[in-house]
Amino acid sequence: MSLLFMQDKTFGHEVLTPSIGILIGFLCVGAFAYYIHFVSSNVQVTALVNKLTTDAEKVIYNYRKLQEEKYVSMDKWEPGNKTHTVTADSEGYVQFIDLVNLVKLAEKQDIEIELVVKTGDYIYKDGPVMHIHKNKIQNKNLSEFYKIGNERTVEQDLGYAVQKLIEVAIRAISPSLNDPNTANDILLRVGRLLGEMGKLKTHGWVMTDSKDQQRVLYDFSSYKTILYETFYQISKYGKGDISVLAYMTDALKGAAKSAPSMRHESLWELQKYILDGLDCSTMRKMDREYLQQKVDDLADMTNQKRINLISREET
């Protein structure tokens, strides 16, 4: 800064070079500060994405473990007469349900338990949590078998674990950040998780005891619902970016690779839902051809008829 005040005394007139040098110095400092902020932000996002992915993998593993231990049956639920309804003693989100110990309780007391809420649901005070069937329950206070809190958690909430990842992706493609590459990386991870979820039995779990007697009904979300809740927001906010559109299809392709064939129709229906919000006739030719190829690949993987992006005719 002293160079600015020394110009008149030293040279007898204004000198432009020191001023330019000082300006460049300020620009360099500003650029360095922005670089530090950018790097730290990306490190934080990467760490968050890794944590959320790990959380989702743990939830999937825990549910798969329940299935492998033969707690889950797909038989039709045929309970006895309802004898009691357990209600919530507080308001909030259902954060956890102790399914295994509920099965053990039901076997011990020879009752059948129908859960009318699932993890992630919001429930009001005195709202029904579960119905007791067949016989009267000895202890009507079952609050130790479930937890209600002020926030949703990923501990047992499979859909929420994936939705948190999608929230990060949506923020990444917002005008303030404009970072579609981060969003695309998240979509690939989500695709793999959706493929693993497809291996789970969904939409109504009938849990059995050690003697294969039906004991607990848990209304697990259907795979179609999980897919919709994963993509319905990002399909809206990402429709203006061809790379995000393409990676959404790549995510579905990734899911189709590992999910059983019974999930393929749901994956294809979700792809058509994403396309319903697009006017592909206004796309540039190369963008449209690029997306068309990816959609065709998904159609082939799921054994569905291809669909023309402009005419929407099946071929």
Side-chain angles (χ1 to χ4, degrees):
M1 290 295 292
S2 62
L3 288 174
L4 292 175
F5 299 100
M6 292 173 59
Q7 292 179 32
D8 286 334
K9 291 183 179 181
T10 306
F11 303 104
H13 58 81
E14 294 290 335
V15 180
L16 185 60
T17 303
S19 301
I20 295 176
I22 291 170
L23 178 60
I24 293 174
F26 278 122
L27 290 175
C28 290
V29 171
F32 180 72
Y34 175 77
Y35 173 76
I36 295 298
H37 172 73
F38 177 79
V39 171
S40 62
S41 297
N42 275 274
V43 169
Q44 291 174 3
V45 169
T46 301
L48 176 61
V49 170
N50 289 336
K51 181 182 183 303
L52 291 173
T53 302
T54 301
D55 289 342
E57 289 171 341
K58 288 180 179 178
V59 178
I60 295 171
Y61 171 79
N62 290 335
Y63 279 124
R64 185 186 297 127
K65 189 176 179 181
L66 279 178
Q67 291 186 179
E68 291 173 351
E69 292 176 351
K70 298 182 179 179
Y71 274 108
V72 181
S73 167
M74 295 302 288
D75 294 337
K76 185 178 180 182
W77 175 252
E78 297 178 349
N81 295 328
K82 184 170 69 173
T83 61
H84 178 65
T85 297
V86 177
T87 58
D89 53 8
S90 62
E91 177 180 341
Y93 289 99
V94 179
Q95 296 178 335
F96 180 78
I97 300 175
D98 193 347
L99 297 171
V100 173
N101 283 320
L102 277 175
V103 171
K104 293 178 180 178
L105 173 73
E107 180 177 13
K108 182 178 179 180
Q109 299 194 19
D110 193 23
I111 58 175
E112 295 166 342
I113 301 173
E114 177 187 0
L115 287 157
V116 294
V117 296
K118 58 182 178 294
T119 310
D121 285 351
Y122 193 88
I123 187 170
Y124 295 100
K125 184 177 180 180
D126 297 327
V129 176
M130 62 186 84
H131 299 311
I132 307 300
H133 296 269
K134 191 175 181 180
N135 294 313
K136 292 184 179 181
I137 191 169
Q138 297 174 14
N139 180 10
K140 295 183 178 180
N141 182 14
L142 301 182
S143 58
E144 63 181 285
F145 294 96
Y146 61 90
K147 181 180 178 182
I148 296 176
N150 294 326
E151 298 178 347
R152 291 181 72 176
T153 61
V154 298
E155 181 182 1
Q156 202 183 38
D157 192 344
L158 186 57
Y160 186 59
V162 176
Q163 288 172 37
K164 292 295 289 183
L165 276 168
I166 292 297
E167 283 182 17
V168 178
I170 292 173
R171 291 174 186 170
I173 60 176
S174 65
S176 61
L177 295 179
N178 193 24
D179 183 17
N181 289 332
T182 295
N184 295 339
D185 175 65
I186 291 172
L187 285 168
L188 292 179
R189 296 174 185 237
V190 167
R192 179 176 59 80
L193 293 172
L194 290 173
E196 294 301 313
M197 289 183 206
K199 299 174 183 178
L200 298 174
K201 297 176 182 177
T202 58
H203 196 43
W205 280 14
V206 178
M207 306 188 71
T208 58
D209 61 18
S210 59
K211 299 178 182 178
D212 287 333
Q213 297 295 311
Q214 293 183 356
R215 292 301 179 185
V216 175
L217 173 66
Y218 180 62
D219 188 21
F220 198 96
S221 296
S222 69
Y223 191 63
K224 185 175 182 179
T225 298
I226 293 173
L227 288 174
Y228 172 75
E229 291 179 346
T230 299
F231 285 95
Y232 78 104
Q233 287 185 311
I234 196 167
S235 64
K236 174 183 177 181
Y237 296 111
K239 65 181 180 181
D241 190 314
I242 184 63
S243 71
V244 176
L245 287 170
Y247 272 84
M248 279 192 274
T249 300
D250 282 340
L252 295 175
K253 287 166 59 180
K257 287 179 181 178
S258 56
S261 58
M262 66 178 182
R263 303 300 190 190
H264 287 178
E265 184 176 354
S266 295
L267 291 167
W268 180 245
E269 287 297 319
L270 199 283
Q271 176 64 78
K272 292 199 293 185
Y273 165 77
I274 294 172
L275 295 176
D276 283 343
L278 298 177
D279 183 3
C280 297
S281 63
T282 61
M283 287 183 177
R284 289 180 294 183
K285 182 181 178 183
M286 292 187 68
D287 288 345
R288 186 171 63 250
E289 290 176 346
Y290 179 67
L291 181 60
Q292 180 73 69
Q293 183 59 57
K294 289 186 176 292
V295 173
D296 289 346
D297 291 343
L298 178 62
D300 295 341
M301 290 178 65
T302 56
N303 198 28
Q304 303 292 324
K305 292 183 178 179
R306 293 184 176 186
I307 185 170
N308 185 283
L309 295 185
I310 297 180
S311 66
R312 301 300 168 92
E313 294 180 353
E314 295 183 341
T315 58

